[in-house]
Amino acid sequence: MLIVGGLIVILTFVLIVKKYEARLVLFLAGLLMCLIGGLPGDVMKAFTKAMVNNSLVPTICTVMGFSYVMRLTECDQHLVQSISGLLKKGRAVLVPLSFLLTWWISLAIPSASGCSAAVGSILIPTLIAAGVHPAMAAATVLAGTWGSAISPGNAHNPFVADLAGTDMMTVIINETPASIIASIACVAVMTAYAVVRREGATEERRQAYLASLGEDDKKLEAFHVNPLRAIVPLVPLILLIISSKQVGLIPEVSVPLSMLVGVALGFLVTLTDLQEVCRKFFQGMGNAYADVIGLIVCASVFTAGMTAIGLTGALTDLMKGSQSAAAAAGTFGPFLIAVISGSGDAAAFAFNGAVTPFAEQFGMSIMDLGSLAQIAGAMGRSISPVAGAAIICAGLAKVNPIEVSKRNALPCFVAALVLMFML
């Protein structure tokens, strides 16, 4: 069963790389593995659970609806144009700055999917308009989402603190220096990749982007920027940051509410036909469900199939058995499982529950080993083409998730190595 499961997983990724319909491939692979594993009922459980996910569905749909309204009111173009002059002068630092911005924002928005949706809806179109390759723009934001691993809102940190017999902030303070150094290594490799492959911001791509907007939009090159319209796309992001538990300047605001506030402001600032605003908002929500939520639903079936056939459990058990190389197991066990499954949470919790309490027998502290496992899992998730955050970023950039994952593989792998040696 394990061999068959491994072959199915490999074939799945091969077919996705060859650009077969990803939703169909993921669903059929998950269905086949569930049937072989004798748990056909898990298919519909995973399917229906993902369809009504209380955090992902409202977040992704309202973000896409907001994006459609910003396009209708041209507020997004005012933001792009207001930044484009600065971007021309600083194209070399666009990729690293975008990664670092996402990395730090993810501390306030610890959900990788929520962060990629909120930040990516603004940052990815802006980077593409500045001339960054679409896949690199998506990869930059996706890679930055692993910064949430050192957030107080991350469930792993209190878990590690309990194992170590200390408080959560002590764990976070302990892991933060290594994480910052790993983030610098990650962005350095990503920047070098962008330079070598010429996927950073270029005037040629910028002009091609402007040309693709059509005749009616070519006037954007010369139009006068309205500061109020330029600010509107940033309002939801600002609300999410200042209302987060870590900042707490105002009562906590959910992603859907922040997006609705942005839609309302877009209408008030531009006085666009309210009926058309309403139509565009719900059109965006519908397209988000069809294109993005549909992929996440099928990816959930694929993950359920891996569990049913025993592949996820076998990988986790193999990782647990590597006590003689705890640092390597704690790093690359959750890392690899997250790459394959799209989530590092289960592997990190399993490792920390089974192996981390004995960390001192391997010459490590419980805090270090526990932090290593959960942060490495977050890094692996930033490579996985079936992760919800990857699907969101790829959808915003209109590229294949595999193209995004390929660009994050080396930067995140190097970051994991640096983290392992630091901890």
Side-chain angles (χ1 to χ4, degrees):
M1 284 174 62
L2 294 179
I3 293 173
V4 172
L7 291 173
I8 291 173
V9 169
I10 293 171
L11 179 60
T12 299
F13 284 97
V14 168
L15 291 175
I16 292 175
V17 169
K18 288 184 175 293
K19 298 185 179 180
Y20 283 83
E21 170 56 53
R23 287 167 291 192
L24 178 64
V25 172
L26 289 170
F27 180 85
L28 291 179
L31 173 63
L32 182 58
M33 287 189 285
C34 282
L35 291 174
I36 294 172
L39 296 171
D42 286 5
V43 173
M44 289 313 300
K45 288 179 183 177
F47 192 88
T48 54
K49 183 179 179 181
M51 282 180 65
V52 294
N53 188 301
N54 289 333
S55 59
L56 282 184
V57 174
T59 294
I60 295 170
C61 289
T62 52
V63 164
M64 197 65 77
F66 170 73
S67 176
Y68 272 53
V69 172
M70 291 301 97
R71 190 180 309 160
L72 171 69
T73 59
E74 294 189 347
C75 288
D76 58 345
Q77 293 299 332
H78 281 265
L79 174 63
V80 169
Q81 292 297 317
S82 67
I83 298 173
S84 62
L86 296 174
L87 296 181
K88 283 183 180 179
K89 300 175 183 178
R91 284 202 173 101
V93 297
L94 265 185
V95 169
L97 282 181
S98 301
F99 168 87
L100 293 172
L101 179 63
T102 308
W103 198 88
W104 286 105
I105 290 175
S106 70
L107 301 182
I109 311 174
S111 165
S113 297
C115 181
S116 60
V119 178
S121 63
I122 298 167
L123 205 53
I124 291 174
T126 302
L127 289 171
I128 295 173
V132 176
H133 189 285
M136 178 56 70
T140 300
V141 172
L142 177 61
T145 60
W146 70 259
S148 62
I150 62 172
S151 169
N154 187 328
H156 291 279
N157 287 315
F159 185 79
V160 174
D162 183 61
L163 291 175
T166 186
D167 64 282
M168 181 180 67
M169 288 311 299
T170 299
V171 172
I172 292 174
I173 291 170
N174 176 70
E175 67 193 9
T176 296
S179 298
I180 291 175
I181 293 173
S183 73
I184 294 171
C186 187
V187 75
V189 176
M190 178 167 281
T191 303
Y193 182 96
V195 171
V196 172
R197 296 291 300 272
R198 292 182 54 80
E199 292 189 351
T202 65
E203 183 62 22
E204 293 81 6
R205 266 195 294 269
R206 180 174 176 274
Q207 291 299 331
Y209 169 80
L210 291 174
S212 71
L213 295 177
E215 293 297 327
D216 293 338
D217 295 308
K218 288 183 179 178
K219 61 183 181 180
L220 293 175
E221 182 71 7
F223 78 8
H224 178 69
V225 173
N226 183 319
L228 284 177
R229 293 194 182 195
I231 290 172
V232 170
L234 298 174
V235 169
L237 192 57
I238 294 170
L239 287 175
L240 289 170
I241 294 172
I242 65 175
S243 71
S244 65
K245 294 178 182 178
Q246 290 72 45
V247 179
L249 291 180
I250 62 173
E252 190 171 0
V253 176
S254 66
V255 173
L257 176 57
S258 69
M259 295 300 156
L260 289 173
V261 170
V263 168
L265 285 176
F267 163 71
L268 292 174
V269 168
T270 63
L271 295 179
T272 305
D273 181 0
L274 186 58
Q275 294 184 86
E276 188 62 23
V277 169
C278 181
R279 280 192 287 268
K280 282 294 182 183
F281 179 75
F282 284 101
Q283 182 185 346
M285 288 185 64
N287 287 345
Y289 201 97
D291 298 333
V292 182
I293 301 298
L295 271 173
I296 293 175
V297 168
C298 294
S300 298
V301 174
F302 175 73
T303 303
M306 286 183 57
T307 302
I309 207 168
L311 197 57
T312 302
L315 289 171
T316 303
D317 290 340
L318 180 65
M319 176 189 63
K320 290 180 189 177
S322 304
Q323 295 184 0
S324 59
T331 304
F332 294 108
F335 184 91
L336 292 174
I337 293 176
V339 171
I340 296 172
S341 68
S343 172
D345 287 345
F349 276 124
F351 184 90
N352 283 337
V355 179
T356 300
F358 308 101
E360 293 178 359
Q361 298 179 22
F362 318 135
M364 295 184 68
S365 72
I366 290 176
M367 274 199 300
D368 285 347
L369 185 56
S371 297
L372 184 60
Q374 67 99 355
I375 297 173
M379 290 176 176
R381 180 199 63 222
S382 295
I383 300 177
S384 175
V386 296
I391 294 169
I392 292 168
C393 289
L396 290 168
K398 298 179 181 178
V399 296
N400 192 311
I402 289 289
E403 293 299 315
V404 180
S405 298
K406 287 194 300 186
R407 287 159 175 80
N408 280 350
L410 184 59
C412 289
F413 179 78
V414 171
L417 281 177
V418 171
L419 186 75
M420 182 177 75
F421 287 114
M422 290 295 298
L423 289 176

